[in-house]
Coordinates of all heavy atoms in Angstrom, one line a residue:
R1 N 0.8 -1.2 0.0 CA 0.0 0.0 0.0 C 0.9 1.3 0.0 O 0.6 2.2 -0.7 CB -0.9 0.0 1.2 CG -1.8 1.2 1.3 CD -2.6 1.3 2.6 NE -3.2 2.6 2.8 CZ -4.4 2.9 2.5 NH1 -5.2 1.9 2.0 NH2 -4.9 4.1 2.7
L2 N 2.0 1.2 0.8 CA 2.9 2.4 0.8 C 3.4 2.6 -0.6 O 3.5 3.8 -1.0 CB 4.0 2.1 1.8 CG 5.0 3.2 2.0 CD1 4.4 4.5 2.6 CD2 6.2 2.7 2.8
M3 N 3.8 1.6 -1.3 CA 4.4 1.7 -2.6 C 3.4 2.2 -3.6 O 3.8 2.9 -4.6 CB 5.1 0.4 -3.0 CG 6.3 0.0 -2.1 SD 7.0 -1.5 -2.6 CE 7.8 -1.1 -4.1
T4 N 2.2 1.8 -3.5 CA 1.2 2.1 -4.5 C 0.4 3.4 -4.2 O 0.1 4.2 -5.1 CB 0.2 1.0 -4.7 OG1 -0.4 0.6 -3.4 CG2 0.9 -0.3 -5.2
L5 N 0.1 3.6 -2.9 CA -0.8 4.8 -2.5 C 0.0 5.8 -1.8 O -0.5 6.9 -1.6 CB -1.9 4.3 -1.7 CG -2.9 3.3 -2.4 CD1 -4.0 2.9 -1.4 CD2 -3.5 3.9 -3.7
G6 N 1.2 5.5 -1.3 CA 2.1 6.5 -0.7 C 1.9 6.6 0.8 O 2.6 7.4 1.4
T7 N 1.0 5.8 1.4 CA 0.8 5.9 2.8 C 0.7 4.5 3.4 O 0.1 3.6 2.7 CB -0.4 6.7 3.2 OG1 -1.6 6.1 2.6 CG2 -0.2 8.2 2.8
L8 N 1.0 4.3 4.6 CA 0.8 3.0 5.3 C -0.7 3.0 5.8 O -1.3 4.0 6.1 CB 1.7 2.9 6.5 CG 3.2 2.6 6.2 CD1 4.0 2.6 7.5 CD2 3.4 1.2 5.5
P9 N -1.3 1.8 5.9 CA -2.6 1.7 6.5 C -2.6 2.2 7.9 O -1.6 2.1 8.6 CB -2.9 0.2 6.4 CG -2.0 -0.4 5.4 CD -0.7 0.5 5.5
Q10 N -3.7 2.8 8.3 CA -3.8 3.3 9.7 C -3.6 2.1 10.7 O -4.2 1.0 10.5 CB -5.2 3.9 9.9 CG -5.3 4.6 11.3 CD -6.6 5.4 11.4 OE1 -7.4 5.3 10.5 NE2 -6.8 6.1 12.5
G11 N -2.8 2.3 11.7 CA -2.5 1.2 12.7 C -1.5 0.2 12.3 O -1.2 -0.7 13.0
A12 N -0.9 0.4 11.1 CA 0.1 -0.6 10.6 C 1.3 -0.6 11.6 O 2.0 -1.7 11.7 CB 0.6 -0.2 9.2
L13 N 1.6 0.5 12.3 CA 2.8 0.5 13.2 C 2.4 0.5 14.7 O 3.2 0.8 15.5 CB 3.6 1.7 12.9 CG 4.4 1.7 11.5 CD1 5.0 3.0 11.2 CD2 5.4 0.6 11.5
R14 N 1.1 0.2 14.9 CA 0.7 0.2 16.3 C 1.5 -0.9 17.1 O 1.6 -2.0 16.7 CB -0.8 -0.2 16.4 CG -1.4 -0.1 17.8 CD -2.9 -0.4 17.8 NE -3.6 0.7 17.1 CZ -4.3 0.5 16.0 NH1 -4.4 -0.7 15.4 NH2 -5.0 1.5 15.4
G15 N 2.0 -0.4 18.2 CA 2.8 -1.3 19.0 C 4.3 -1.3 18.7 O 5.1 -1.8 19.5
Y16 N 4.7 -0.7 17.6 CA 6.1 -0.8 17.2 C 6.9 0.1 18.1 O 8.1 -0.3 18.4 CB 6.2 -0.3 15.7 CG 7.7 -0.3 15.2 CD1 8.4 -1.5 15.2 CD2 8.3 0.8 14.8 CE1 9.7 -1.6 14.8 CE2 9.6 0.8 14.4 CZ 10.3 -0.4 14.4 OH 11.7 -0.4 14.0
G17 N 6.4 1.2 18.5 CA 7.1 2.1 19.4 C 7.5 1.4 20.7 O 8.6 1.5 21.2
Q18 N 6.5 0.7 21.3 CA 6.8 0.0 22.5 C 7.8 -1.1 22.3 O 8.7 -1.4 23.1 CB 5.5 -0.6 23.1 CG 5.6 -1.2 24.4 CD 4.3 -1.6 25.0 OE1 3.2 -1.4 24.4 NE2 4.3 -2.2 26.2
T19 N 7.7 -1.8 21.2 CA 8.7 -2.8 20.8 C 10.1 -2.3 20.7 O 11.0 -2.8 21.2 CB 8.3 -3.5 19.5 OG1 7.0 -4.1 19.6 CG2 9.3 -4.6 19.1
L20 N 10.1 -1.1 20.1 CA 11.4 -0.4 19.9 C 12.1 -0.1 21.2 O 13.3 -0.3 21.5 CB 11.2 0.8 19.0 CG 12.5 1.4 18.3 CD1 13.0 0.4 17.3 CD2 12.1 2.7 17.7
L21 N 11.3 0.5 22.1 CA 11.8 0.9 23.4 C 12.1 -0.3 24.3 O 12.9 -0.1 25.3 CB 10.8 1.8 24.1 CG 10.5 3.1 23.4 CD1 9.5 4.0 24.3 CD2 11.8 3.9 23.1
S22 N 11.5 -1.4 24.0 CA 11.8 -2.6 24.9 C 13.2 -3.2 24.6 O 13.7 -4.1 25.3 CB 10.7 -3.7 24.7 OG 10.8 -4.2 23.4
E23 N 13.8 -2.8 23.5 CA 15.1 -3.3 23.0 C 16.2 -2.3 23.4 O 15.9 -1.1 23.4 CB 15.1 -3.6 21.5 CG 14.0 -4.6 21.1 CD 13.9 -4.7 19.6 OE1 14.5 -3.9 18.9 OE2 13.2 -5.6 19.1
P24 N 17.4 -2.8 23.7 CA 18.5 -1.8 23.9 C 18.7 -0.9 22.7 O 18.6 -1.4 21.6 CB 19.7 -2.7 24.2 CG 19.1 -4.1 24.5 CD 17.8 -4.2 23.8
A25 N 19.1 0.3 22.9 CA 19.4 1.2 21.8 C 20.6 0.7 21.1 O 21.6 0.3 21.7 CB 19.6 2.6 22.4
P26 N 20.6 0.8 19.8 CA 21.8 0.4 19.0 C 23.0 1.2 19.4 O 22.9 2.5 19.6 CB 21.4 0.6 17.6 CG 19.9 0.6 17.6 CD 19.5 1.2 18.9
M27 N 24.2 0.6 19.5 CA 25.4 1.3 20.0 C 26.4 1.3 18.9 O 26.7 0.2 18.3 CB 25.9 0.7 21.3 CG 24.9 0.7 22.4 SD 24.6 2.3 23.1 CE 26.2 2.6 23.8
P28 N 27.1 2.4 18.6 CA 28.2 2.4 17.6 C 29.5 1.8 18.3 O 29.6 1.7 19.5 CB 28.3 3.8 17.2 CG 27.9 4.6 18.5 CD 26.9 3.7 19.1
E29 N 30.4 1.5 17.5 CA 31.7 1.1 18.0 C 32.4 2.3 18.6 O 32.2 3.5 18.2 CB 32.6 0.6 16.8 CG 32.1 -0.7 16.2 CD 32.2 -1.9 17.1 OE1 33.1 -1.9 18.0 OE2 31.4 -2.8 17.0
D30 N 33.2 2.1 19.7 CA 33.9 3.2 20.4 C 34.7 4.0 19.5 O 34.7 5.3 19.6 CB 34.7 2.6 21.5 CG 33.9 2.1 22.7 OD1 32.6 2.3 22.6 OD2 34.5 1.6 23.6
G31 N 35.5 3.4 18.6 CA 36.4 4.1 17.7 C 35.8 5.2 16.9 O 36.1 6.4 17.0
P32 N 34.8 4.8 16.0 CA 34.1 5.9 15.2 C 33.4 6.9 16.1 O 33.4 8.1 15.7 CB 33.1 5.1 14.4 CG 33.7 3.7 14.4 CD 34.4 3.5 15.7

């Protein structure tokens, strides 16, 4: 739908924010 109409269906990402916060934040290597 995103590729054809340009938008995601309403509610397609419901719960994704909580899932994201339940995981450790990605960490870069110390050197860079």
Side-chain angles (χ1 to χ4, degrees):
R1 178 187 170 96
L2 178 70
M3 295 178 70
T4 54
L5 301 180
T7 59
L8 288 174
Q10 187 174 4
L13 292 171
R14 185 177 294 116
Y16 180 60
Q18 186 173 0
T19 299
L20 200 64
L21 296 184
S22 67
E23 301 171 352
M27 303 289 291
E29 295 292 332
D30 287 356

